[in-house]
Amino acid sequence: AQTVTQSQPEMSVQEAETVTLSCTYDTSESDYYLFWYKQPPSRQMILVIRQEAYKQQNATENRFSVNFQKAAKSFSLKISDSQLGDAAMYFCASFNAGGTSYGKLTFGQGTILTVHP
Amino acid sequence: KAGVTQTPRYLIKTRGQQVTLSCSPISGHRSVSWYQQTPGQGLQFLFEYFSETQRNKGNFPGRFSGRQFSNSRSEMNVSTLELGDSALYLCASSLIASGTGVEQYFGPGTRLTVT
């Protein structure tokens, strides 16, 4: 079974500063993807960034980047130049692309990010 | 390209009733999955459909069922509603292809309240 753990229930950052959200996962599958989703108060789940497990290069999307440590099963999200609009709940998730749990997203518990002006 | 749509957005039902929620995926996406989000349990996987076939199911009672139509639209049904079924139900539309990998996007959700 897959598990995803976010050990930081809440984080805060000053506007324009950098913050890193932590995530660890456990899976027996060799073919999987990792995601970070953002859920603002509207409850819309927004895809922030995606990482293919077979790629060593860390994914980046504008101000968002990840630090993917496959051996350590760690997948942290770095937000640079934080903006007020980044305030939301952030979920780390793993996606099975093989095995008996194919197509299933397993989510962490979420981290509430507060951005201070 | 239009996003994932879910209807209705809000629903209030009484204990014992049944409810049907609908999800239309992004054009070209053939996989649809459903998730339940509650404050206590977080986000939990309900089931996943691909080409009208259920490929995977989470640990939910048989009162929760779903189906997918030939146009990839999906419905989920909850019968004999219980107070604990009050939740945000999220639908995700997925494209899994060699070369592009996995794309998975969520709809806005249906907020179900059971009284």
Side-chain angles (χ1 to χ4, degrees):
Chain A
Q2 281 195 330
T3 59
V4 177
T5 303
Q6 293 177 250
S7 58
Q8 306 154 316
E10 296 183 34
M11 291 284 284
S12 64
V13 64
Q14 290 292 132
E15 198 175 4
E17 297 292 306
T18 296
V19 65
T20 298
L21 307 184
S22 300
C23 172
T24 58
Y25 65 93
D26 192 15
T27 180
S28 56
E29 300 295 338
S30 58
D31 190 6
Y32 60 93
Y33 293 75
L34 297 166
F35 298 87
W36 279 98
Y37 284 94
K38 166 186 175 181
Q39 190 177 44
S42 68
R43 309 300 297 277
Q44 171 76 56
M45 194 74 80
I46 302 165
L47 176 63
V48 174
I49 199 165
R50 177 191 75 167
Q51 174 78 43
E52 294 90 336
Y54 61 85
K55 287 188 177 179
Q56 291 187 330
Q57 186 173 8
N58 290 324
T60 61
E61 284 288 341
N62 301 312
R63 298 183 294 106
F64 299 88
S65 62
V66 299
N67 184 2
F68 175 45
Q69 301 289 325
K70 191 171 184 177
K73 295 185 177 177
S74 169
F75 182 61
S76 61
L77 174 70
K78 185 170 85 171
I79 306 174
S80 304
D81 185 26
S82 296
Q83 300 175 0
L84 296 177
D86 294 334
M89 174 80 90
Y90 285 80
F91 290 98
C92 176
S94 67
F95 179 93
N96 274 338
T100 57
S101 297
Y102 185 87
K104 172 184 173 182
L105 262 179
T106 301
F107 287 89
Q109 305 92 320
T111 297
I112 299 172
L113 177 66
T114 302
V115 181
H116 298 290
Chain B
K1 188 183 274 191
V4 183
T5 58
Q6 289 187 247
T7 56
R9 294 291 312 278
Y10 302 92
L11 209 46
I12 300 175
K13 290 286 188 178
T14 303
R15 214 167 25 169
Q17 288 185 315
Q18 75 165 20
V19 67
T20 299
L21 312 181
S22 180
C23 172
S24 292
I26 293 170
S27 177
H29 287 198
R30 295 166 62 189
S31 170
V32 173
S33 49
W34 290 87
Y35 297 83
Q36 181 196 63
Q37 185 175 24
T38 59
Q41 299 298 317
L43 283 147
Q44 296 187 89
F45 171 75
L46 280 156
F47 25 64
E48 188 255 356
Y49 287 89
F50 180 83
S51 291
E52 303 178 65
T53 300
Q54 186 183 90
R55 291 196 297 192
N56 232 316
K57 188 176 182 345
N59 292 325
F60 279 83
R63 301 184 297 106
F64 291 81
S65 63
R67 60 178 173 168
Q68 186 180 35
F69 302 95
S70 59
N71 61 358
S72 294
R73 190 178 70 86
S74 177
E75 289 181 347
M76 67 163 281
N77 184 276
V78 187
S79 62
T80 319
L81 283 165
E82 301 178 359
L83 295 178
D85 298 333
S86 295
L88 179 69
Y89 290 88
L90 292 164
C91 164
S93 162
S94 305
L95 176 64
I96 304 167
S98 58
T100 58
V102 172
E103 297 177 5
Q104 187 157 61
Y105 298 95
F106 282 83
T110 295
R111 185 182 295 277
L112 171 65
T113 301
V114 182
T115 61

